[in-house]
């Protein structure tokens, strides 16, 4: 099955906080499956529903070596973030051919509804934690470059406009 296309920045859905998911049903599970297919096709380590034009608080993360270990999350919320930071180069298919180095907390504890509709708390560390935080930014209507200084963000967006038309 083909996934729907990635929405290109600055589409409104990427700048608007997504809507909470009231319950986990077959439509939500099918959307998670589509999101995993899109994430694997990039290839990437996470995806949020707004990236495919769906304004729901849904995310998938799979930073495993083998793949097939995706964590499906609805309404994820960070409960705790470590003081220690971790640097990582971040990018998004919504702004092709661009990336930026960011520092985010090395570990986070996240609360979310899982595939069974049960509230779960899970600790994520390293690239998993970076990806979860990146996806939650998307769900809040933010892109990774919103975490840059005003000058760096302006430079990145100017370069993106030149590269991507």
């Amino acid at each position: 099955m083909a996934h729907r296309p990635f929405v290109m920045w600055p589409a409104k859905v990427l700048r608007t906080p997504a809507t909470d998911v009231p319950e986990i049903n077959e439509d939500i599970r099918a959307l998670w499956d589509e999101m995993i297919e899109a994430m694997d096709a990039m290839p990437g380590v996470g995806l949020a529903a707004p990236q495919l034009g769906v304004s729901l608080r849904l995310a998938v993360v799979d930073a495993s070596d083998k793949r097939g270990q995706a964590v499906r999350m609805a309404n994820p919320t960070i409960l705790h973030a470590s003081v220690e930071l971790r640097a990582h180069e971040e990018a998004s298919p919504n702004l092709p051919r661009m990336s930026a180095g960011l520092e985010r907390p090395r570990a986070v504890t996240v609360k979310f509804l899982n595939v069974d509709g049960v509230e779960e708390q899970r600790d994520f560390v390293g690239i998993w934690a970076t990806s979860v935080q990146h996806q939650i930014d998307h769900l809040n209507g933010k892109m990774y470059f919103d975490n840059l200084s005003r000058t760096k963000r302006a430079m990145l967006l100017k370069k993106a406009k030149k590269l991507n038309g």
Side-chain angles (χ1 to χ4, degrees):
M1 140 182 128
H3 66 82
R4 61 194 86 194
F6 294 108
V7 177
M8 291 300 119
W9 189 88
K12 187 175 181 190
V13 70
L14 296 172
R15 308 305 283 165
T16 307
T19 305
D20 278 348
V21 175
E23 66 172 348
I24 305 305
N25 55 34
E26 288 312 308
D27 290 341
I28 296 298
R29 290 185 186 97
L31 184 52
W32 269 326
D33 290 344
E34 181 181 348
M35 291 167 62
I36 290 168
E37 182 179 323
M39 172 184 66
D40 288 344
M42 279 190 277
V45 294
L47 193 74
Q51 294 181 267
L52 296 178
V54 179
S55 190
L56 289 173
R57 293 188 70 79
L58 294 171
V60 294
V61 175
D62 188 349
S64 64
D65 293 333
K66 296 180 183 132
R67 305 305 275 188
Q69 309 296 313
V71 178
R72 294 161 171 85
M73 294 179 272
N75 309 329
T77 305
I78 295 173
L79 298 176
H80 174 75
S82 67
V83 174
E84 184 184 343
L85 300 178
R86 176 184 182 279
H88 189 76
E89 192 75 12
E90 296 188 35
S92 174
N94 308 101
L95 190 66
R97 303 188 305 200
M98 300 303 305
S99 66
L102 293 177
E103 284 191 339
R104 294 184 186 262
R106 187 188 72 80
V108 290
T109 302
V110 180
K111 172 181 78 171
F112 58 93
L113 291 180
N114 66 21
V115 72
D116 298 317
V118 176
E119 190 174 281
E120 184 178 325
Q121 273 189 36
R122 190 178 291 196
D123 294 328
F124 295 94
V125 180
I127 184 70
W128 287 85
T130 298
S131 183
V132 168
Q133 293 169 81
H134 181 110
Q135 306 325 314
I136 290 173
D137 276 357
H138 275 301
L139 299 178
N140 293 332
K142 290 178 64 181
M143 295 277 288
Y144 69 92
F145 52 78
D146 290 323
N147 295 305
L148 297 171
S149 70
R150 184 184 311 222
T151 304
K152 285 184 178 178
R153 182 173 55 248
M155 287 171 40
L156 182 135
L157 293 176
K158 183 177 180 182
K159 184 177 176 186
K161 191 171 188 174
K162 201 179 280 185
L163 280 176
N164 298 312

